[in-house]
Amino acid sequence: SMTLAGYWLGRAIPDIERDPRMISHHRAAYRREGFRSYLAVPMRIGERAIGALFVLTKHPRHFSAMEIEVLSGFADLAVLGVENLRLYEGAQQGAKELQDAYELLQGAQEHLIQTERLRAFGELARGVAHDFNNLLAVILGRTQLLLRHEGLEPDLARQLRVIERAVLDGAQTVKRIQEFTHVRPPRPHVPVDVAQVLLEAREFTRPRWEQEAQAAGIAYEIRVEAERVPPIAGDPSELRGVFTNLLLNALEAMPQGGQVRLTAAKEGERVRVTVADTGSGMSEEVQRRAFEPF
């Protein structure tokens, strides 16, 4: 393939059968596989080509400038991966290291794009986190001042405590985003009342499944079933974030209304929490990306 790469780098062959530039035994090999069109772009380090990315199609076609540019972008990302692997394994690995890198790079283009996207997100987060923390501090300060008023109605006090808890969790979220691109020791776990966390997630999302839903003429039933569950070791802020997001995702999957059940039960030395809804479920694409950060 390196011989082929050296000869065909940057070449687009719209019809392998008819193009006179195609070497006969290459044409025969592609014919056996049913390929008709060919595109290759170099993987370069400076002026040196270390390989190539190929696209082969089973129907004659002309590759657009945009398609060539996209494939070239993949090639650049692949080179970064190869070089990182080379540095990690050491220069002594030689040809074996390069072969291992090629094997690891199969199907890795999407991972590299995701990594670059997350790196850019980290840069953006560091730029806005300070201002966002200042805004949260204002909200928290005003909320706590209101909570000190005498004669505060119980329902209003409950709503203000929800705001206070949400702001404190928001500050923790900002901190996690700031730490996203840096290695940090794990925060110590504390005893967590799972039932209380689930109830708080339900309360956090109440405007979405109650007020907004009523205004739209639809109805949701949000049930929490977590009686007699022992405390667990964990981070209550992060757990609230998990269950709040799962609950919001469940609501999005039920645009005409429905039911969400959040249950917790003891299983041996662990506690299992289940979130179930009557919605449309997740597409294959959503399932594949479900565990991407943020």
Side-chain angles (χ1 to χ4, degrees), residues 66-286:
M66 177 62 72
E67 289 172 323
I68 296 173
E69 183 178 349
V70 169
L71 188 61
S72 297
F74 281 141
D76 291 340
L77 290 170
V79 168
L80 291 176
V82 171
E83 282 303 287
N84 285 337
L85 287 169
R86 287 168 64 89
L87 292 173
Y88 181 75
E89 295 293 339
Q92 300 301 317
Q93 294 294 326
K96 181 180 182 302
E97 178 276 331
L98 184 58
Q99 179 62 36
D100 291 342
Y102 283 144
E103 293 175 2
L104 289 173
L105 282 168
Q106 292 178 355
Q109 283 90 344
E110 182 176 346
H111 171 72
L112 290 167
I113 292 173
Q114 175 187 350
T115 301
E116 182 64 18
R117 183 170 66 244
L118 293 176
R119 183 199 65 77
F121 180 87
E123 293 292 333
L124 176 63
R126 284 194 293 270
V128 302
H130 178 72
D131 291 340
F132 193 64
N133 270 332
N134 287 341
L135 294 173
L136 289 176
V138 172
I139 298 171
L140 179 63
R142 295 300 177 89
T143 302
Q144 291 176 338
L145 284 174
L146 290 172
L147 281 169
R148 294 174 186 170
H149 285 184
E150 295 182 4
L152 198 61
E153 295 180 5
D155 184 64
L156 182 57
R158 180 180 63 83
Q159 298 287 357
L160 288 172
R161 291 192 185 95
V162 170
I163 295 173
E164 180 184 39
R165 182 71 268 166
V167 171
L168 292 171
D169 282 357
Q172 287 297 319
T173 299
V174 172
K175 185 176 181 182
R176 292 200 302 274
I177 292 173
Q178 288 175 306
E179 295 169 340
F180 172 64
T181 55
H182 303 283
V183 177
R184 63 173 171 90
R187 284 188 289 272
H189 286 174
V190 298
V192 178
D193 182 343
V194 176
Q196 182 62 31
V197 168
L198 293 178
L199 289 170
E200 288 170 344
R202 182 178 186 269
E203 194 65 25
F204 278 14
T205 57
R206 181 180 292 274
R208 173 70 174 81
W209 57 261
E210 188 174 75
Q211 287 90 350
E212 291 184 23
Q214 289 176 357
I218 57 179
Y220 293 109
E221 181 186 3
I222 314 299
R223 298 172 56 186
V224 175
E225 302 170 2
E227 296 182 1
R228 295 184 296 276
V229 177
I232 64 167
D235 185 319
S237 171
E238 292 190 357
L239 288 171
R240 267 191 300 271
V242 168
F243 299 130
T244 297
N245 279 309
L246 286 174
L247 183 48
L248 289 172
N249 289 342
L251 296 175
E252 290 178 2
M254 301 185 297
Q256 304 305 317
Q259 183 188 84
V260 184
R261 294 175 64 244
L262 300 96
T263 61
K266 186 176 184 295
E267 291 188 359
E269 296 301 313
R270 297 176 178 271
V271 170
R272 177 185 294 275
V273 176
T274 303
V275 180
D277 63 67
T278 57
S280 57
M282 295 188 293
S283 67
E284 184 177 344
E285 168 68 10
V286 171

